Amino acid sequence: MDIDKLLEDIFNDDVSLDLKALFEEKIVEYGVTKTRALKLLNVDKDVFEDIINGTAKQPNLIHVVKIAEFLEINVDDFIQMVLKNQNTENIASIDRARKVRFLMKNFDVKALTKLGFFDNTDDIDELVERVLHYFGYDSIRQFEEELVTPLYSRTKRQFSDKMKDFWVRSAYQTFRLIDNTNGYDRERLKDVIVNMKPYSQDVKNGLYTVCRALYNVGVTVIFQNYLTTTHVRGATFIINNKPCVVLTDNQKKYPTIWFTLLHELHHVLFDYDAIKTNSYHLSDDEDLFLIEEKANSFARDYFMPRANFDYIKTYIKNDYMVEQFAKENEIHKSLVYSFYTWYQQELYNKNYYAAFKEYYPDYKPAIAKLNPITWDEDTVREASEKIKAVFEIN
């Protein structure tokens, strides 16, 4: 049953039927008295009157079905007629149930409250209004009609799925509103990728400069704060035939952001058609449909291929040698330590993840100019306008 349509029809004065008159017509047609008809239906007279008059606070479903059958009316239509006679308090309770269903189905309210997206309130109207206002929708129906079809689907959706859906919808709306007017040029993208490595050395402005260059070749890159339990490092969308990339701070490490950017750009270059068919791709998602290792290898080989690791591993504790090695390879030295750590784990099963922390710069200055989307933003539209302004500065 479409509850939205049901509620609309309840308040539609054009939809009207006199149930009492219809009942009188039926007992005349069947040649029985009202008392006899109700006895055969096993419906108490007072109960019948309450249902017909709309005064029953909680009409018994079995009685409703029996009366609808007697009157030869479709049950859904009869329910609509019964509800049309209900008092405003009962109708409001139906509307509340619809809103509760909408929130519980689509959002992890507890987690989003903890993040600051929702205020700490149990007011259903306020919670629904917050969602609709943030995404820019006028109604629950509009929200649900414009949803992006998720890549993952299960019979029972876990809380993490709801958080992923929220993250995806936020990114999708942001890209749709930014609406990059530059045409996607794959060959020019290759040129940007070839020349972007040195910018990793500039912590404050490097990522910003590269993202502006990508925007000019039709690839929009935004940054969204990581959402707990999603396990999503980044994502690639195809919207209006243009690639769009989302980065997160799920590991809160400067080298990881650059690695993720190259990883996603590999998907743009080589998995464009597959992503276009599926609307988007979440990297590190547990339900992958693309081969992630190819994208990982692409990013590793770009910054620090195996041969470079074999060379620098002997000198890794010599800060001067690592500094010179990083300069020669045109990368920030934190990437040297980050990839060294990965190779040690992968090749020798040695854990160095707690080492070299002093060489990792704070990642926040790198993303500051990109106006990262946080979950206390007022609306996606406002966030999108700030991001668009950054990319279109002359």
Side-chain angles (χ1 to χ4, degrees), residues 338-394:
S338 179
F339 285 109
Y340 170 84
T341 298
W342 183 86
Y343 278 114
Q344 285 287 358
Q345 180 69 50
E346 183 71 12
L347 299 176
Y348 309 118
N349 199 29
K350 294 183 178 180
N351 189 336
Y352 281 82
Y353 285 102
F356 314 118
K357 288 183 177 180
E358 66 271 27
Y359 300 111
Y360 286 54
D362 183 0
Y363 71 93
K364 292 179 181 177
I367 64 174
K369 287 187 176 180
L370 296 174
N371 286 321
I373 296 176
T374 58
W375 308 117
D376 56 0
E377 301 277 357
D378 187 40
T379 68
V380 172
R381 180 172 293 280
E382 290 180 3
S384 303
E385 288 173 352
K386 288 192 294 183
I387 296 170
K388 187 178 181 71
V390 165
F391 289 138
E392 298 189 348
I393 293 174
N394 294 324

Side-chain angles (χ1 to χ4, degrees), residues 242-257:
K242 294 175 187 176
C244 302
V245 170
V246 193
L247 305 178
T248 75
D249 60 345
N250 72 323
Q251 293 188 17
K252 303 188 183 307
K253 294 180 180 178
Y254 179 74
T256 304
I257 294 174

Side-chain angles (χ1 to χ4, degrees), residues 114-133:
K114 187 176 181 180
L115 283 169
F117 179 79
F118 288 128
D119 291 332
N120 192 13
T121 177
D122 292 326
D123 189 304
I124 295 298
D125 289 330
E126 289 183 10
L127 294 172
V128 170
E129 175 58 30
R130 169 61 176 138
V131 169
L132 297 180
H133 180 67

Side-chain angles (χ1 to χ4, degrees), residues 68-191:
E69 183 65 23
F70 180 81
L71 297 177
E72 295 186 292
I73 299 175
N74 178 277
V75 174
D76 287 352
D77 293 337
F78 185 69
I79 290 174
Q80 175 188 317
M81 296 170 198
V82 171
L83 291 176
K84 194 171 181 65
N85 292 328
Q86 289 287 307
N87 59 45
T88 55
E89 182 181 346
N90 284 357
I91 293 174
S93 70
I94 297 171
D95 187 43
R96 177 182 173 83
R98 175 192 59 158
K99 291 175 179 177
V100 170
R101 184 271 307 165
F102 168 71
L103 285 171
M104 296 302 101
K105 178 181 178 181
N106 294 294
F107 304 100
D108 183 344
V109 175
K110 182 178 179 181
L112 289 173
T113 300
K114 187 176 181 180
L115 283 169
F117 179 79
F118 288 128
D119 291 332
N120 192 13
T121 177
D122 292 326
D123 189 304
I124 295 298
D125 289 330
E126 289 183 10
L127 294 172
V128 170
E129 175 58 30
R130 169 61 176 138
V131 169
L132 297 180
H133 180 67
Y134 177 75
F135 286 105
Y137 293 117
D138 295 325
S139 65
I140 290 174
R141 171 176 283 186
Q142 184 185 19
F143 180 99
E144 293 181 332
E145 286 177 348
E146 295 187 17
L147 291 184
V148 185
T149 304
L151 277 178
Y152 43 86
S153 57
R154 301 179 175 86
T155 45
K156 292 186 178 180
R157 297 169 67 249
Q158 305 298 318
F159 288 133
S160 60
D161 295 336
K162 295 176 185 178
M163 295 298 278
K164 285 176 186 175
D165 285 349
F166 177 85
W167 191 90
V168 166
R169 289 168 190 156
S170 177
Y172 182 87
Q173 282 290 76
T174 302
F175 289 127
R176 190 176 65 82
L177 291 168
I178 290 175
D179 190 24
N180 188 346
T181 57
N182 296 301
Y184 171 50
D185 190 322
R186 189 172 185 271
E187 294 306 312
R188 289 179 64 198
L189 171 59
K190 291 180 183 178
D191 291 337

Side-chain angles (χ1 to χ4, degrees), residues 210-262:
V210 168
C211 289
R212 285 196 64 191
L214 290 169
Y215 187 83
N216 289 331
V217 300
V219 181
T220 306
V221 180
I222 67 170
F223 191 96
Q224 284 193 159
N225 276 10
Y226 174 69
L227 280 182
T228 307
T229 75
T230 60
H231 305 294
V232 177
R233 183 180 59 196
T236 299
F237 294 66
I238 305 298
I239 300 174
N240 296 329
N241 294 315
K242 294 175 187 176
C244 302
V245 170
V246 193
L247 305 178
T248 75
D249 60 345
N250 72 323
Q251 293 188 17
K252 303 188 183 307
K253 294 180 180 178
Y254 179 74
T256 304
I257 294 174
W258 281 97
F259 177 85
T260 302
L261 177 59
L262 263 294

